[in-house]
Amino acid sequence: MRTPWQRLGLVATIALAAGWMLGARPLMTNADKPLAHMVFFTLKDRSPESRAAFAADCQKYLSGHDGTLYFSVGTIAEDVVEPTVSVRDFDVSLHLVVKNKEARDNYLVNPRHTAFVEANRENFAQVRVFDTYLDTK
């Protein structure tokens, strides 16, 4: 006859083996997950020239930070519209995926990021930030 501890150990062993056979992985906490930091800028001057100059500043100041997994910046695709769902009230979008929340926090206080904000603050009509934890498999 098994003791309660032996029965618990047997159940735990069976559960671990079943999880291993099914390819289970330990659950990641949000702190461990990649974080997508998407920023949509509406500029005071919405001309193509202003958009291009602003995108160049994004490239200069915001690319190449520690912990970056993906970086891109672009201007609105004016010729691509999906009726009733396309959002048209922005000029430049920044797409940044970083290793985790800590990398994003470090990015936000980095002197290059701070210099970008100071150099461009007067150009902003609106800034919207969308941060998302990414589930990777």
Side-chain angles (χ1 to χ4, degrees), residues 67-122:
T68 298
L69 302 175
Y70 175 80
F71 172 89
S72 65
V73 61
T75 59
I76 188 170
E78 293 187 283
D79 60 336
V80 179
V81 178
E82 189 173 337
T84 73
V85 295
S86 287
V87 177
R88 313 302 302 155
D89 64 350
F90 72 96
D91 297 292
V92 176
S93 62
L94 170 72
H95 310 270
L96 180 69
V97 178
V98 293
K99 188 170 98 172
N100 53 29
K101 182 180 180 296
E102 180 182 10
R104 182 202 134 305
D105 294 346
N106 291 337
Y107 162 81
L108 291 177
V109 297
N110 185 285
R112 287 179 54 227
H113 180 271
T114 304
F116 167 79
V117 172
E118 291 306 314
N120 288 284
R121 183 184 312 271
E122 293 302 314

Side-chain angles (χ1 to χ4, degrees), residues 5-96:
W5 289 110
Q6 289 172 323
R7 284 193 300 269
L8 182 62
L10 180 60
V11 169
T13 301
I14 292 169
L16 286 171
W20 176 78
M21 288 171 37
L22 295 172
R25 297 185 203 170
L27 292 175
M28 293 179 76
T29 66
N30 282 343
D32 300 323
K33 291 180 180 179
L35 191 140
H37 180 69
M38 307 296 155
V39 186
F40 291 81
F41 299 94
T42 306
L43 305 177
K44 291 177 182 174
D45 175 359
R46 302 190 72 192
S47 69
E49 298 79 16
S50 177
R51 290 173 177 167
F54 187 83
D57 264 6
C58 288
Q59 191 75 28
K60 173 183 174 183
Y61 289 102
L62 304 179
S63 65
H65 286 263
D66 287 342
T68 298
L69 302 175
Y70 175 80
F71 172 89
S72 65
V73 61
T75 59
I76 188 170
E78 293 187 283
D79 60 336
V80 179
V81 178
E82 189 173 337
T84 73
V85 295
S86 287
V87 177
R88 313 302 302 155
D89 64 350
F90 72 96
D91 297 292
V92 176
S93 62
L94 170 72
H95 310 270
L96 180 69

